């Protein structure tokens, strides 16, 4: 049975829908006379795109299903030179593949190639002499990955053209050189669900001819667009947390083969040209000069071919190399030279630029194809240097780790078992060596218990550990100085993405560092190592207790609720008569309130979720609320709805739904946003408004409907801009006020215009006075690309039960709220003081001063219900695991404290 016959019904359905669309859509653009590689002659033994799919390269936007068909045809035509592998499956059941293309001697034993690359990647096992022998015999390897954003369409068609050219080109010196010296891996489509969404929308809306008008439906996708995957993740930001199956499959494949050059092919704004390396500033300081030099070699070779073809391009602008969680930066931390390529998109078959030029789909396809061949040529020409630099990267990483003041990171695994376990197994998934101590040990004056996790940076992945575990990675001082200069001139800054990403901070997991290497008995962590749950007293007469405060307890709660187990949760910490102390939020499952067989269910849930469960034969409490107190409310299984569709931020909606559904296994009902404005919502106990701009879609009518629902016992949870919507005086859902930027300069009275539009005359004596006169005194604070900030947490409120006194949150944007007044509600978490709030990243000083002591989490009672407002998005990118308990409290403990009509 062929690979195609194994694909799911969903992929087949998409293909049938696309085929039906061909009957009503415009005819393919005719490109028979168009040469992708001028002068190339091709062997008839290799099937062309037209012979398999009925059109030439660039004439149509190829669907995921048809892409699979074509690569399968290539593999069948040249099995000795093509190896096709399904490496993952999307949420919607679509296959992700890569193909390896090379000479038969390179293809026949890919596993030996992988073994040799992994030998080259570890100087502790492979001496310099052995490495030199490997370098002399190994080909360089290039991994070309395409279409991580599903609506960046041209790269997948370019991938098929690249594969065809490598297999079919005759008497082509470049191709011969590439195949002799290089093993080529092509990942043709990283996001099949997003691309399928795009192609379906595009071909279902086309008319008699493809429109090049930027206002046309052809050029404007409906929400949520095709950029993201099924759970609406931007998967180019998922390389650190590895939450999506597509990312996990790709990481595993790259770790297996360790290709020495990795190129991520994208699309950018339609009025631009083409971008390739060198990257813009800032550059991550843990990248190595040799890697950047190799990128320069590749970029220069691209420039040579683009000049020959007459293609415009640019380098060193916009697209930086700072954040380590992109598809073009993650591979650099196992030693590859990696880069992003960006081409101006047609976002369909045609697009008219601002200068009036009409670009056709074949144009970006050709540019990506030419850049791919040029890159392969550079890798072939520099085979020995690239492989030598790859080995030297590992040598340098180990030596740098030995000299580092933070040589060893230790995760004590005492306060947050689940978070520590998740962090340890995540690092193992990245390819990092993580040891779990099999005995207690002492390091740098501190004693650690058995079970602690140890990561020594004196290992090949040491630089990855350093850049993801250290609290602060600095941008170049010259770059920061330039950004401050631009801000002073009221120009936009050039920071592309977040400036902080420390995984321990994001997970709110305690880590220590030590400048010594440690010799501790233990075992190495594997990516699939389970978190072991336990019930210490399965047979009890009164209750089972689950201490609250980590993801394992959260998973236990959601599973127990769905199985109909009756349970309570303590608002405050309590102490039993036998002196055992339990934290606020602890789950209480009483034997008499549940039926027979509950003990077996509890044991199964502990094993399934990793939770720790303890039993008690007495409910006598000596401190804190008793089991029958009003402060131990019954937990119910709420029906959760969330806003879905425009104007909700698709990324926020997707990550929120993912965290609840996939990390905590609890269903969410997605509701079109406009339905929230008028429909009866009483079926739901919790409604979530992810980040988004709701004024137009909901407006006062929607606010009134939500307000009425809250008063009847609903729990409305808002994130970021949704909290600003709720706080608008016109909407009146939340009695809190967003702030303007703080400015202690007052506007002079004589600047006020009279009825004729004139102002009084004035003297401006210096530039600083000019700046004050032109300043807008009612503007938002400056935008923050993304920093990690310390948040202080009220320890005496039920909404923060089980949450640490201090947590860390990602802060982006420019919305800052004034503290809520006590007669309206309560600020239950707020940013720390100006001198200590910044945990990591770069924050404008004015924002730092203004953010101090401002709310992060607010709760406002209303009737029988309440509104819980997060001023930032606690689910962003699903990598702030350390805020998940707070989010679960808002949902489940919020529902327990409301009084809806049952």
């Amino acid at each position: 049975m062929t690979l195609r016959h194994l694909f799911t019904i969903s992929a087949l359905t998409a293909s049938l829908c696309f085929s039906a669309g061909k009957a009503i859509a415009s005819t393919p653009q005719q490109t028979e006379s168009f040469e992708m590689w001028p002068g190339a002659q091709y062997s008839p033994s290799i099937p062309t795109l037209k012979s398999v799919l009925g059109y030439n390269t660039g004439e149509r936007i190829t669907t995921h299903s048809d892409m699979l068909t074509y690569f399968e045809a290539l593999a069948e035509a040249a099995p000795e030179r093509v190896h096709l592998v399904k490496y993952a499956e999307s949420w919607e059941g679509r296959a992700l593949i890569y193909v390896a293309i090379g000479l038969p001697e390179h293809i026949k034993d890919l596993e030996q190639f992988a073994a040799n690359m992994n030998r080259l990647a570890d100087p502790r096992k492979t001496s310099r002499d052995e490495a030199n022998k490997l370098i002399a015999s190994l080909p360089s390897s290039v991994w070309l990955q395409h279409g991580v954003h599903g609506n960046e369409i041209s790269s997948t068609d370019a991938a098929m053209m690249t594969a065809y050219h490598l297999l079919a080109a005759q008497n082509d010196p470049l191709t011969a050189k590439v195949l002799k010296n290089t093993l080529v891996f092509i990942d043709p489509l990283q996001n099949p669900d997003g691309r399928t969404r795009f192609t379906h929308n595009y071909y279902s809306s086309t008319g008699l001819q493809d429109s090049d008008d930027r206002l046309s439906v052809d050029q404007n996708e409906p929400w949520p667009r095709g950029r993201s995957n099924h759970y609406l993740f931007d998967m180019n930001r998922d390389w650190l947390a590895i939450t999506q199956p597509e990312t996990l499959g790709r990481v595993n494949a790259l770790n297996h083969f360790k290709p020495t050059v990795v190129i991520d092919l994208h699309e950018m704004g339609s009025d631009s040209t083409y971008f390739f390396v060198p990257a813009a500033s800032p550059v991550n300081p843990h990248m190595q000069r040799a890697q950047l030099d190799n990128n320069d070699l590749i970029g220069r070779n691209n420039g040579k071919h683009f000049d020959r073809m007459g293609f415009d391009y640019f380098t060193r602008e916009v697209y930086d190399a700072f954040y380590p969680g992109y598809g073009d930066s993650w591979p650099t931390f196992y030693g590859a030279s990696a880069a992003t390529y960006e081409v101006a998109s047609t976002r369909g078959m045609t697009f008219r630029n601002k200068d009036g030029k009409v670009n056709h789909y074949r144009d970006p396809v050709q540019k990506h194809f030419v850049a791919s061949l040029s890159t392969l040529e550079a890798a072939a020409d520099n085979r020995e240097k690239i492989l030598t630099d790859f080995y030297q990267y590992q040598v340098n990483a180990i030596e740098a780790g030995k000299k580092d003041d933070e040589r060893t990171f230790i995760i004590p695994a005492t306060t947050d078992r689940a978070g520590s376990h998740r962090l340890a197994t995540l690092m193992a998934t990245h390819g990092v060596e993580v040891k779990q101590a099999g005995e207690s040990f002492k390091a740098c004056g501190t004693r650690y218990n058995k079970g602690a996790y140890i990561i020594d940076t004196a290992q090949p992945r040491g630089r990855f550990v350093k850049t993801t575990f250290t609290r602060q990675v600095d941008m170049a001082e010259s770059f920061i100085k330039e950004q401050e200069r631009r801000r002073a001139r009221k120009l936009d800054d050039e920071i592309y993405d977040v400036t902080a990403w420390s995984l321990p901070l994001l997970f709110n997991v305690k880590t220590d560092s030590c400048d010594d290497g440690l010799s501790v008995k233990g075992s190495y962590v594997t990516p699939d190592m389970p978190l072991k749950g336990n019930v210490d007293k399965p047979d009890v007469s009164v209750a089972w207790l689950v201490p609250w405060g980590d993801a394992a307890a959260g998973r236990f709660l959601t599973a127990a609720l769905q199985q109909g187990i009756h349970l309570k949760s303590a608002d405050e910490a309590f102490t039993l008569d036998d002196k055992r102390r339990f934290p606020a939020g602890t789950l209480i499952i009483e034997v008499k309130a549940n039926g027979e067989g509950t003990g077996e269910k509890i044991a199964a849930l502990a094993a399934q979720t990793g939770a720790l469960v303890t039993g008690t034969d007495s409910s006598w409490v000596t401190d804190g609320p008793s089991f029958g107190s009003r402060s131990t409310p019954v937990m119910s299984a709420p029906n959760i709805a969330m806003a879905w569709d425009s104007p909700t931020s698709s990324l926020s909606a997707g990550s929120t739904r993912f965290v609840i559904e996939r990390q905590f296994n609890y269903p969410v009902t997605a509701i079109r946003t406009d339905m929230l404005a008028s429909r009866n919502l009483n079926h739901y106990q919790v409604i979530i408004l992810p980040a988004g701009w709701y004024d137009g879609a909901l407006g006062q009518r929607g606010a009134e409907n939500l307000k009425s629902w809250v008063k009847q016992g609903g729990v409305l949870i808002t994130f970021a801009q949704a909290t600003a919507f709720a706080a608008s005086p016109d909407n009146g859902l939340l009695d809190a006020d967003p702030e303007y930027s703080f400015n202690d300069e007052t506007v002079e009275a004589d600047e006020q215009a009279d009825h004729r539009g004139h102002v009084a005359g004035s003297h401006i004596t210096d530039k600083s006075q000019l700046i004050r006169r032109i300043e807008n005194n009612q503007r938002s604070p400056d935008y923050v690309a993304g920093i990690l900030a310390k948040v202080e947490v009220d320890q005496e409120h039920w909404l923060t039960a089980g949450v640490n006194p201090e947590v860390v949150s990602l802060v982006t944007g420019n919305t800052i709220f004034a503290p809520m007044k006590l007669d309206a509600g309560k600020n239950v978490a707020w940013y720390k003081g100006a001198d200590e709030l910044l945990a990591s990243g770069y924050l404008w000083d004015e924002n730092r001063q203004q953010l101090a002591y401002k709310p992060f989490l607010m709760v406002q009672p209303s009737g029988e219900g309440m509104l819980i407002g997060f001023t930032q998005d606690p689910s962003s990118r699903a990598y702030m695991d350390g805020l998940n308990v707070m989010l679960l409290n808002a949902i489940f403990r919020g529902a327990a404290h409301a009084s809806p009509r049952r």
Side-chain angles (χ1 to χ4, degrees), residues 191-424:
N191 184 1
D193 292 351
R195 187 180 184 90
T196 299
R197 189 184 312 128
F198 176 90
T199 53
H200 168 77
N201 288 332
Y202 183 80
Y203 281 111
S204 66
S205 62
T206 52
L208 179 63
Q209 65 181 26
D210 298 297
S211 174
D212 59 23
D213 188 335
R214 68 180 65 227
L215 299 182
S216 73
V217 68
D218 295 28
Q219 304 293 335
N220 293 277
E221 302 171 71
W223 191 98
R225 304 187 300 144
R227 179 181 179 88
S228 50
N229 73 340
H230 173 81
Y231 268 103
L232 308 187
F233 273 67
D234 181 337
M235 290 193 295
N236 199 35
R237 272 77 174 168
D238 190 46
W239 289 78
L240 287 188
I242 315 182
T243 66
Q244 304 302 292
E246 301 95 330
T247 312
L248 176 59
R250 196 167 306 117
V251 163
N252 289 339
L254 288 170
N255 274 335
H256 184 63
F257 289 109
K258 293 186 172 60
T260 49
V261 175
V262 178
I263 305 297
D264 205 15
L265 293 98
H266 291 256
E267 289 184 349
M268 58 182 166
S270 302
D271 293 302
S272 193
T273 58
Y274 199 100
F275 167 83
F276 48 73
V277 282
S281 294
V283 173
N284 189 296
H286 299 294
M287 292 180 181
Q288 296 300 285
R289 184 69 256 169
Q291 296 170 296
L292 302 176
D293 289 344
N294 288 333
N295 280 349
D296 288 352
L297 290 173
I298 292 169
R300 287 179 179 277
N301 204 56
N302 291 347
K304 177 186 71 177
H305 283 282
F306 271 50
D307 287 344
R308 176 176 63 85
M309 300 291 287
F311 299 156
D312 286 339
Y313 64 90
F314 66 95
T315 66
R316 296 172 290 100
E317 298 177 40
V318 184
Y319 302 103
D320 64 31
F322 189 57
Y323 176 58
Y326 297 133
D328 73 325
S329 54
W330 184 89
T332 64
F333 292 99
Y334 71 71
S337 296
T340 280
Y341 292 176
E342 301 269 354
V343 68
S345 176
T346 58
R347 285 294 188 265
M349 292 306 300
T350 58
F351 183 84
R352 185 180 298 274
N353 286 349
K354 290 180 179 178
D355 62 6
K357 179 185 177 183
V358 175
N359 288 329
H360 296 275
Y361 183 54
R362 63 175 179 257
D363 298 324
V365 172
Q366 183 188 29
K367 289 173 183 177
H368 268 330
F369 163 63
V370 170
S372 296
L373 289 188
S374 171
T375 300
L376 296 175
E377 180 184 45
D381 286 340
N382 296 280
R383 181 196 67 81
E384 186 173 350
K385 179 183 186 308
I386 289 172
L387 286 167
T388 300
D389 291 342
F390 176 82
Y391 178 76
Q392 189 61 42
Y393 172 92
Q394 325 299 328
V395 173
N396 294 346
I398 293 170
E399 290 304 311
K402 291 177 179 178
K403 299 174 184 177
D404 201 310
D405 290 340
E406 292 183 314
R407 170 170 176 168
T408 302
F409 288 96
I410 303 165
I411 309 172
T414 52
T415 56
D416 183 351
R417 288 175 59 253
S420 299
H421 174 268
R422 158 76 172 138
L423 183 55

Side-chain angles (χ1 to χ4, degrees), residues 145-153 155-156 187-192 195 227 235 250 264-266:
Q145 52 194 27
H146 309 75
V148 71
H149 297 139
N151 59 359
E152 297 180 2
I153 46 181
S155 66
T156 294
D187 180 348
L189 180 51
Q190 302 176 74
N191 184 1
R195 187 180 184 90
R227 179 181 179 88
M235 290 193 295
R250 196 167 306 117
D264 205 15
L265 293 98
H266 291 256

Side-chain angles (χ1 to χ4, degrees), residues 13 51 171 206 209-210 239-240 361 365 408 478 503 567 574 579 646 696 700 745 834 850 852 854:
T13 301
S51 69
N171 302 318
T206 52
Q209 65 181 26
D210 298 297
W239 289 78
L240 287 188
Y361 183 54
V365 172
T408 302
S478 59
L503 287 172
L567 53 80
F574 62 90
K579 310 301 183 186
S646 181
Q700 294 183 34
E745 298 287 345
Q850 188 172 348
K854 301 300 168 59

Side-chain angles (χ1 to χ4, degrees), residues 303-602:
K304 177 186 71 177
H305 283 282
F306 271 50
D307 287 344
R308 176 176 63 85
M309 300 291 287
F311 299 156
D312 286 339
Y313 64 90
F314 66 95
T315 66
R316 296 172 290 100
E317 298 177 40
V318 184
Y319 302 103
D320 64 31
F322 189 57
Y323 176 58
Y326 297 133
D328 73 325
S329 54
W330 184 89
T332 64
F333 292 99
Y334 71 71
S337 296
T340 280
Y341 292 176
E342 301 269 354
V343 68
S345 176
T346 58
R347 285 294 188 265
M349 292 306 300
T350 58
F351 183 84
R352 185 180 298 274
N353 286 349
K354 290 180 179 178
D355 62 6
K357 179 185 177 183
V358 175
N359 288 329
H360 296 275
Y361 183 54
R362 63 175 179 257
D363 298 324
V365 172
Q366 183 188 29
K367 289 173 183 177
H368 268 330
F369 163 63
V370 170
S372 296
L373 289 188
S374 171
T375 300
L376 296 175
E377 180 184 45
D381 286 340
N382 296 280
R383 181 196 67 81
E384 186 173 350
K385 179 183 186 308
I386 289 172
L387 286 167
T388 300
D389 291 342
F390 176 82
Y391 178 76
Q392 189 61 42
Y393 172 92
Q394 325 299 328
V395 173
N396 294 346
I398 293 170
E399 290 304 311
K402 291 177 179 178
K403 299 174 184 177
D404 201 310
D405 290 340
E406 292 183 314
R407 170 170 176 168
T408 302
F409 288 96
I410 303 165
I411 309 172
T414 52
T415 56
D416 183 351
R417 288 175 59 253
S420 299
H421 174 268
R422 158 76 172 138
L423 183 55
T425 54
L426 173 62
M427 294 304 284
T429 302
H430 280 296
V432 173
E433 294 172 1
V434 182
K435 180 183 282 188
Q436 185 169 30
E439 59 185 3
S440 62
F441 64 95
K442 190 174 183 180
C444 291
T446 302
R447 179 155 292 281
Y448 296 93
N449 294 329
K450 174 183 176 180
Y453 302 102
I454 302 167
I455 305 177
D456 189 345
T457 61
Q459 61 169 294
R461 287 294 175 92
R463 293 190 188 277
F464 180 77
V465 177
K466 183 68 175 177
T467 197
T468 56
F469 262 57
T470 194
R471 284 181 169 263
Q472 179 68 24
V473 178
D474 289 323
M475 296 181 287
E477 186 176 344
S478 59
F479 178 80
I480 292 175
K481 185 177 180 180
E482 171 62 11
Q483 303 321 299
E484 293 289 5
R485 184 195 70 80
R486 293 179 64 87
R487 264 198 339 123
R489 290 292 312 278
K490 308 305 178 186
L491 301 173
D492 291 339
D493 68 77
E494 299 169 311
I495 299 174
Y496 189 74
D497 205 331
V498 297
T499 62
W501 52 80
S502 169
L503 287 172
L505 292 179
L506 287 167
F507 283 40
N508 281 298
V509 167
K510 173 180 170 58
T511 58
D512 295 329
S513 63
C514 181
D515 59 4
D516 292 332
L518 305 180
S519 179
V520 179
K521 292 180 181 179
S523 58
Y524 284 102
V525 173
T526 60
D528 58 354
M529 184 181 78
L531 177 65
K532 295 180 180 180
N534 182 59
V535 181
D536 70 352
K537 292 180 68 175
D539 297 319
V540 294
S541 59
V542 175
W544 294 277
L545 306 176
V546 183
W548 188 244
D550 69 3
R555 292 190 292 266
F556 185 98
L557 169 65
T558 58
L561 290 176
Q562 291 181 88
Q563 290 192 22
I565 294 175
H566 184 278
L567 53 80
K568 300 175 181 179
S569 176
D571 285 348
E572 304 168 29
F574 62 90
T575 304
L576 292 177
D577 197 29
D578 60 9
K579 310 301 183 186
R580 286 184 293 171
R581 183 78 172 169
F582 292 86
T586 291
L587 307 179
I588 304 168
I589 305 108
E590 293 169 306
V591 173
K592 299 299 184 183
N594 290 279
E596 291 188 11
T598 302
E600 290 78 4
K601 291 182 180 179
I602 298 297

Side-chain angles (χ1 to χ4, degrees), residues 723-724 727 734-741 781 814-822 824-831 850-860 869 871:
T723 303
L734 182 67
D735 194 1
D737 298 314
E739 295 185 341
Y740 289 123
S741 175
N814 55 5
T815 302
I816 299 174
F817 283 82
M820 175 180 281
K821 301 292 186 181
L822 284 174
K826 191 167 179 61
N827 309 288
V828 294
W830 54 89
Y831 297 105
Q850 188 172 348
L851 197 61
Y853 299 110
K854 301 300 168 59
F856 173 75
L857 178 63
M858 301 174 281
V859 58
Q860 177 173 313
T871 60

Side-chain angles (χ1 to χ4, degrees), residues 770-894:
L770 167 65
I771 292 173
R772 287 197 302 272
R773 289 292 298 269
I774 65 176
E775 180 68 82
N776 176 8
N777 289 289
Q778 290 189 336
R779 65 179 181 86
S780 297
D782 283 355
Y783 189 90
V784 175
I787 58 100
L788 294 178
K790 297 177 184 177
V791 174
E792 191 171 346
V793 179
D794 184 344
Q795 294 293 286
E796 297 186 71
H797 196 279
W798 58 260
L799 186 53
T800 58
V803 179
N804 292 336
E806 179 181 299
V807 296
V808 171
S809 173
L810 181 71
V811 173
T812 63
N814 55 5
T815 302
I816 299 174
F817 283 82
M820 175 180 281
K821 301 292 186 181
L822 284 174
D823 59 354
K826 191 167 179 61
N827 309 288
V828 294
W830 54 89
Y831 297 105
K832 300 202 77 171
D835 293 339
E836 53 181 341
L837 73 83
L838 183 62
S840 183
Y842 187 79
L843 180 62
W844 316 124
D845 188 62
E846 296 89 338
N847 294 64
R848 181 178 62 84
Q849 298 286 345
Q850 188 172 348
L851 197 61
Y853 299 110
K854 301 300 168 59
F856 173 75
L857 178 63
M858 301 174 281
V859 58
Q860 177 173 313
S862 180
E864 302 299 321
M866 69 194 74
L867 188 145
I868 299 172
F870 289 85
T871 60
Q872 291 286 326
D873 181 352
S875 72
S876 182
R877 300 184 184 178
Y879 66 3
M880 285 189 288
D881 288 40
L883 296 180
N884 283 346
V885 171
M886 191 179 282
L887 177 59
L888 291 174
N889 283 347
I891 296 170
F892 295 100
R893 307 199 85 248

